[in-house]
C-alpha cells in the first residue's frame, strides 16, 4: 500500500472556546487512514501576549508563519467567531496565501457566521468523515 499523504492543517478557533478545538483534534487524530500535522496554537501554548501593540504584531507574524505552509485551513463556525478579531485575522492570512478554508459547523448549531460562509469553500457538519473528506478534496 502506498504511503499516506500527510496533511498540514491549521484549525482556527477562539481560545475561550477550546472545547470545540480539542474535539476537532480528537476527530482528526482518530481518523482511519489519515495522517495530519497540527499547525494551530492551542490554548495551553499561546505564542505571545496579544494585548500589547508589540505582542499583536508578533502574533500576526507568528500566525502568518503557521498558516503559510498548510494544505487546508479549518475554522470552527461558532457564532462567537463573528465577534473575534483574531479569527478574522487568521482568515485574512489564509486568504492571502490562497489556502482553502473549510467551515466546521458545531454539533446542533443552526446558524453560522455569514462571513465564514462567504469565505469557506465548503461548510461541513461536525464528523470525522466530513472533515477528512473535505480536507482531502480541498487541500492544496
Amino acid at each position: 500500500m502506498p504511503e499516506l499523504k500527510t496533511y498540514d492543517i491549521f484549525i482556527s478557533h477562539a481560545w475561550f472556546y477550546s472545547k470545540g478545538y480539542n474535539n476537532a483534534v480528537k476527530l482528526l487524530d482518530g481518523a482511519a487512514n489519515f495522517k495530519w500535522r497540527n499547525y494551530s496554537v492551542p490554548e495551553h501554548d499561546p505564542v505571545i501576549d496579544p494585548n500589547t501593540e508589540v505582542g499583536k504584531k508578533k502574533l500576526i507574524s507568528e500566525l502568518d508563519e503557521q498558516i503559510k505552509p498548510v494544505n487546508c485551513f479549518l475554522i470552527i463556525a461558532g457564532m462567537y467567531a463573528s465577534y473575534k478579531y483574531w479569527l478574522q485575522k487568521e482568515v485574512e492570512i489564509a486568504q492571502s496565501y490562497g489556502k482553502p478554508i473549510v467551515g466546521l459547523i458545531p454539533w446542533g448549531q443552526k446558524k453560522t457566521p455569514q462571513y465564514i460562509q462567504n469565505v469557506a469553500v465548503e461548510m461541513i457538519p461536525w464528523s470525522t468523515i466530513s472533515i477528512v473528506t473535505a480536507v482531502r478534496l480541498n487541500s492544496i
Side-chain angles (χ1 to χ4, degrees):
M1 185 160 119
E3 179 78 19
L4 290 175
K5 174 182 171 84
T6 300
Y7 293 92
D8 296 332
I9 301 171
F10 185 93
I11 305 171
S12 182
H13 66 288
W15 286 342
F16 299 114
Y17 300 94
S18 293
K19 185 177 179 186
Y21 166 81
N22 292 331
N23 287 335
V25 168
K26 284 179 188 172
L27 290 177
L28 288 168
D29 284 345
N33 300 314
F34 186 77
K35 288 173 57 176
W36 76 294
R37 278 187 292 254
N38 189 348
Y39 278 73
S40 311
V41 179
E43 178 184 21
H44 65 276
D45 189 21
V47 176
I48 192 109
D49 179 8
N51 297 318
T52 65
E53 206 50 46
V54 170
K56 186 184 251 186
K57 287 180 184 176
K58 176 72 173 160
L59 182 53
I60 290 170
S61 174
E62 293 287 337
L63 288 168
D64 187 87
E65 290 301 312
Q66 289 173 279
I67 294 169
K68 187 189 310 185
V70 302
N71 303 114
C72 192
F73 180 96
L74 303 178
I75 184 166
I76 299 170
M79 289 309 292
Y80 62 82
S82 46
Y83 303 106
K84 296 296 180 185
Y85 170 84
W86 288 108
L87 295 177
Q88 292 172 344
K89 186 57 72 180
E90 290 169 353
V91 166
E92 290 171 13
I93 293 168
Q95 289 179 308
S96 77
Y97 289 111
K99 303 300 177 179
I101 298 170
V102 174
L104 303 179
I105 304 168
W107 291 296
Q109 187 158 318
K110 303 286 187 217
K111 296 174 123 185
T112 56
Q114 188 62 49
Y115 89 90
I116 293 176
Q117 293 176 43
N118 293 344
V119 300
V121 294
E122 190 173 0
M123 296 293 293
I124 60 168
W126 195 278
S127 75
T128 303
I129 292 171
S130 297
I131 296 170
V132 168
T133 301
V135 167
R136 285 183 171 143
L137 290 175
N138 295 296
S139 285
I140 55 173

